[in-house]
């Protein structure tokens, strides 16, 4: 990510394909600098007139499956945000209790608040202090073992792979899921085609922050041990698995990858290349070989 070029050894399980770092660095905080790691940058807060928010809330109800003429009309005129794919069909409404673990400074929670969700809490042990945005969104400086209460939807977006003991963590997370609730884990998938193609230059290896990189098989084993079952798996990888891995092959650190988007001058990807990589990602997702997936777990 930062171009430091340090080396780390990983082990690959012959039974389930999970990748595991051989030795966790003594000072992991070094690899999450508050002035350089994307999750800890202050989120941009947007403010809308009340009538705009009301329309957005109608649209949210529609995307969640609650029919109304106004919601259907607004929805037809809007591009559906990707996060509604996580919620739809899972019994989630605007008053559902949602917990985002490993959320950084809470950018996603603020977005959900603007969409009309009213019961939102975040937790991240690496933020400097608790944050209260004054609009119903709070982010606590806490680890999983310090969380309390039950929630209808617990989610970890590219956070589970950062945990040093995923089996224990999953057991603790299972306690936070209310009866009938869902636990969503989104993370890179170790047996993806991109990892096979790029090897150590695969962008989502991201050593040493990614301590464990799972497969569907390893997640089934973990889920069983925590009293959970995998209800669904949705692959959601993007063209970044190609673009950023190609840049790693060139020796370009992740923090400079934005300079290579189409239209950024010499050395940047062309729009045709960019679009081709996005299309390849969509095809890999369809074949369940993309390098990132959403795992929806429920109590057994």
């Amino acid at each position: 990510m930062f171009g430091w070029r340090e080396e780390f050894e990983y082990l690959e399980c012959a039974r389930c394909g999970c990748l595991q770092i051989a030795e966790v660095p003594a000072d992991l905080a070094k690899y999450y600098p508050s002035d350089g790691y994307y999750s800890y940058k202050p989120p941009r807060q947007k403010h809308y007139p009340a009538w705009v928010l009301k329309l957005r809330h109608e649209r949210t109800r529609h995307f969640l499956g609650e029919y109304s003429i106004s919601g259907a009309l607004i929805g037809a005129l809007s591009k559906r945000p990707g996060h509604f794919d996580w919620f739809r069909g899972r019994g989630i409404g605007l008053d559902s209790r949602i917990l985002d673990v490993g959320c950084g400074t809470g950018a996603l929670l603020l977005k959900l608040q603007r969409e009309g969700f009213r019961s939102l809490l975040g937790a991240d042990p690496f933020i400097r202090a608790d944050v209260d945005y004054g609009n119903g969104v709070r982010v606590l400086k806490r680890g999983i073992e310090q969380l309390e209460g039950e929630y209808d939807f617990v989610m970890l977006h590219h956070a589970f792979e950062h945990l040093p003991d995923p089996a224990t963590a999953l057991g603790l997370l299972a306690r936070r899921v209310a009866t009938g609730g869902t636990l969503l884990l989104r993370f890179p998938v170790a047996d993806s085609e991109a990892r096979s193609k790029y090897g150590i230059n695969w962008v989502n290896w991201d050593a040493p922050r990614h301590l464990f990189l799972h497969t569907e098989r390893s997640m089934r084993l973990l889920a069983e041990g925590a009293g959970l079952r995998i209800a669904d798996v949705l692959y959601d990888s993007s063209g970044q698995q190609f673009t950023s891995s190609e840049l790693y092959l060139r020796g370009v650190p992740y923090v400079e990858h934005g300079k290579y988007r189409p239209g950024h001058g010499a050395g940047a990807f062309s729009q045709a290349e960019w679009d081709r990589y996005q299309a390849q990602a969509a095809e890999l997702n369809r074949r369940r070989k993309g390098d990132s997936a959403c795992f929806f777990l429920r109590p057994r």
Side-chain angles (χ1 to χ4, degrees):
M1 176 170 282
F2 304 109
W4 296 342
R5 312 305 295 178
E6 297 181 38
E7 294 186 1
F8 303 90
E9 182 179 6
Y10 278 72
L11 311 175
E12 183 172 11
C13 178
R15 180 186 181 194
C16 68
C18 176
L19 293 171
Q20 172 184 346
I21 196 167
E23 184 176 351
V24 178
D27 181 18
L28 270 177
K30 167 187 173 182
Y31 304 99
Y32 297 89
S34 59
D35 60 345
Y37 195 66
Y38 68 96
S39 292
Y40 302 116
K41 295 179 180 179
R44 181 182 176 187
Q45 295 195 61
K46 300 179 181 179
H47 301 281
Y48 297 94
W51 66 271
V52 172
L53 291 176
K54 183 176 180 180
L55 292 177
R56 290 173 71 103
H57 299 175
E58 286 294 314
R59 185 187 70 165
T60 295
R61 292 188 178 93
H62 169 71
F63 287 149
L64 292 175
E66 299 179 25
Y67 180 78
S68 71
I69 295 176
S70 59
L73 178 60
I74 300 167
L77 298 173
S78 307
K79 181 179 179 181
R80 188 175 73 176
H83 51 259
F84 286 105
D85 292 336
W86 312 329
F87 300 140
R88 188 176 175 86
R90 306 185 197 282
I92 300 301
L94 297 185
D95 289 315
S96 295
R97 298 162 295 176
I98 297 175
L99 171 66
D100 190 0
V101 179
C103 64
T105 51
L108 175 58
L109 292 171
L110 290 171
K111 182 183 295 185
L112 295 179
Q113 189 271 338
R114 294 192 295 269
E115 299 282 4
F117 293 93
R118 292 185 278 261
S119 183
L120 302 165
L121 181 67
D124 195 301
F126 291 107
I127 59 175
R128 293 179 178 176
D130 292 355
V131 182
D132 188 338
Y133 288 103
N135 56 6
V137 175
R138 292 184 302 134
V139 181
L140 307 178
K141 181 179 173 61
R142 291 186 188 177
I144 294 172
E145 69 283 354
Q146 299 170 297
L147 295 173
E148 300 175 345
E150 292 187 340
Y151 302 86
D152 304 301
F153 199 88
V154 179
M155 54 188 185
L156 286 79
H157 299 282
H158 293 275
F160 192 67
E161 63 270 29
H162 296 255
L163 302 178
D165 186 350
T168 297
L170 195 59
L172 293 171
L173 289 166
R175 299 177 190 175
R176 305 280 73 85
V177 181
T179 301
T182 298
L183 169 62
L184 165 61
L185 303 177
R186 293 178 68 217
F187 51 74
V189 180
D191 56 351
S192 63
E193 192 162 303
R195 182 235 163 169
S196 177
K197 177 178 180 178
Y198 291 105
I200 61 171
N201 288 297
W202 172 43
V203 63
N204 269 324
W205 205 310
D206 197 24
R209 282 170 295 277
H210 290 178
L211 306 179
F212 287 83
L213 290 161
H214 288 283
T215 65
E216 284 196 38
R217 179 169 175 76
S218 67
M219 274 309 305
R220 288 194 185 95
L221 295 171
L222 270 183
E224 290 173 5
L228 299 167
R229 62 180 178 86
I230 298 177
D232 193 14
V233 181
L234 173 67
Y235 281 77
D236 65 346
S237 69
S238 72
Q240 186 186 35
Q241 64 193 299
F242 303 110
T243 57
S244 285
S245 298
E246 290 287 339
L247 290 172
Y248 275 172
L249 284 173
R250 300 187 205 173
V252 180
Y254 186 85
V255 291
E256 297 180 9
H257 286 193
K259 302 175 183 177
Y260 293 85
R261 296 179 66 88
H264 282 65
F269 293 103
S270 68
Q271 191 61 55
E273 288 176 313
W274 196 266
D275 293 343
R276 184 174 70 252
Y277 286 136
Q278 298 298 333
Q280 289 177 7
E283 172 61 18
L284 288 178
N285 290 338
R286 187 188 67 79
R287 291 167 41 207
R288 303 175 74 88
K289 293 300 291 182
D291 80 332
S292 177
C294 306
F295 287 77
F296 297 89
L297 291 84
R298 308 197 74 173
R300 294 174 66 87

